[in-house]
């Protein structure tokens, strides 16, 4: 890194101005936090809608059950993660470790549910299961758009 680059970085950093407590409070009121429970609720609702659409579109219960299992393999691990992440931590470091730990639990539980799918649903429709998973995973976008406390 040359001295010119360092000077340029210092110039860019000089524009930073910390917020006052009042400015921070105003910013928080304009940008409410999104509860992890709101995201889980959105995933449940989107998963139910996906099952209904699959059943109405195909009239095959196996397809609807496969979509439902795909949605469940997203919702159940999300519930476990939300429960673990909602715990209060003593420090920022323990909170970070907790988040990573619960994310690992979430991934392992998802993989375990996918491995168990053929035993739980004989003749599982893998494409329908994958569609149910993807649609349900993307439900957080719906939660962001319709979250409570947003102002238009």
């Amino acid at each position: 890194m040359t001295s010119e680059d360092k000077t340029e970085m210092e110039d860019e950093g000089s524009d930073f101005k910390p917020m006052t407590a009042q400015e921070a409070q105003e910013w928080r009121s304009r940008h409410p936090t999104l509860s992890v429970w709101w995201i889980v609720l959105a995933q449940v609702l989107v998963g139910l809608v996906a099952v209904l659409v699959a059943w109405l579109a195909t009239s095959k219960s196996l397809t609807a059950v496969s979509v439902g299992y795909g949605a469940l393999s997203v919702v159940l691990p999300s519930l476990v993660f939300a429960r673990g992440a909602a715990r209060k931590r003593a420090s920022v470091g323990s909170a970070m470790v907790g988040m990573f730990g619960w994310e690992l639990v979430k991934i392992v539980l998802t993989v375990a549910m996918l491995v168990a799918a053929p035993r739980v649903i004989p003749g599982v429709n893998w494409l329908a299961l994958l569609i149910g998973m993807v649609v349900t995973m993307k439900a957080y976008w719906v939660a962001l758009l319709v979250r409570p406390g947003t102002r238009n």
Side-chain angles (χ1 to χ4, degrees), residues 46-62:
V46 168
L48 290 172
V49 168
V51 169
L52 182 63
V53 167
W55 185 71
L56 291 174
T58 66
S59 298
K60 295 180 180 178
S61 61
L62 182 60

Side-chain angles (χ1 to χ4, degrees), residues 133-152:
M133 281 187 71
V134 170
V135 168
T136 306
M137 271 191 269
K138 296 305 175 186
Y140 63 87
W141 289 107
V142 175
L144 285 172
L145 291 174
V146 298
R147 66 182 163 179
T150 56
R151 297 179 198 140
N152 294 330

Side-chain angles (χ1 to χ4, degrees), residues 16-147:
F16 177 76
K17 179 185 163 237
M19 290 184 181
T20 65
Q22 182 180 0
E23 289 171 333
Q25 183 61 34
E26 289 172 7
W27 186 89
R28 280 188 210 102
S29 68
R30 287 191 314 268
H31 301 90
T33 58
L34 182 61
S35 169
V36 69
W37 297 110
W38 182 251
I39 294 171
V40 172
L41 176 63
Q43 287 179 330
V44 168
L45 295 175
V46 168
L48 290 172
V49 168
V51 169
L52 182 63
V53 167
W55 185 71
L56 291 174
T58 66
S59 298
K60 295 180 180 178
S61 61
L62 182 60
T63 301
V65 169
S66 296
V67 169
Y69 191 83
L72 186 65
S73 65
V74 171
V75 170
L76 187 62
S78 291
L79 281 169
V80 171
F81 174 82
R83 177 69 177 103
R87 289 184 181 174
K88 297 291 182 194
R89 304 280 189 226
S91 69
V92 174
S94 65
M96 186 74 105
V97 169
M99 291 294 283
F100 284 120
W102 285 110
E103 185 65 27
L104 181 62
V105 168
K106 181 176 153 183
I107 291 167
V108 169
L109 184 55
T110 301
V111 170
M113 289 183 73
L114 292 176
V115 168
R119 290 190 180 115
V120 175
I121 307 168
V124 63
N125 181 334
W126 284 102
L127 180 60
L129 185 141
L130 182 62
I131 290 170
M133 281 187 71
V134 170
V135 168
T136 306
M137 271 191 269
K138 296 305 175 186
Y140 63 87
W141 289 107
V142 175
L144 285 172
L145 291 174
V146 298
R147 66 182 163 179

